[in-house]
Amino acid sequence: MPGQLEIIATKKVTATDDLYQLIDFLNRNLKDRDVVFGLSKSDEANKLVVTIYRTE
């Protein structure tokens, strides 16, 4: 299926104000390497989950 994403890795991290900027920076600069970075809320307070995807 085109546009499918494969999860490469996930990591739970402490939420910081700059984390969204870091994910945006990585996505802008590594999009030609077939990877996408995602950020989502964790069930734990003050934690976010960073996910690295491979695009196919």
Side-chain angles (χ1 to χ4, degrees):
M1 177 186 261
Q4 190 122 2
L5 299 176
E6 171 191 352
I7 295 175
I8 298 173
T10 61
K11 177 71 176 172
K12 196 176 293 186
V13 297
T14 302
T16 65
D17 292 339
D18 294 335
L19 199 49
Y20 289 98
Q21 291 178 7
L22 176 61
I23 297 299
D24 184 53
F25 170 79
L26 292 170
N27 281 327
R28 289 175 189 257
N29 289 284
L30 297 175
K31 62 184 171 189
D32 60 337
R33 306 277 177 113
D34 297 328
V35 292
V36 174
F37 296 82
L39 191 59
S40 59
K41 291 183 180 180
S42 171
D43 293 338
E44 295 180 40
N46 202 34
K47 295 282 186 177
L48 295 172
V49 178
V50 176
T51 306
I52 305 172
Y53 302 93
R54 175 172 291 128
T55 59
E56 296 179 13

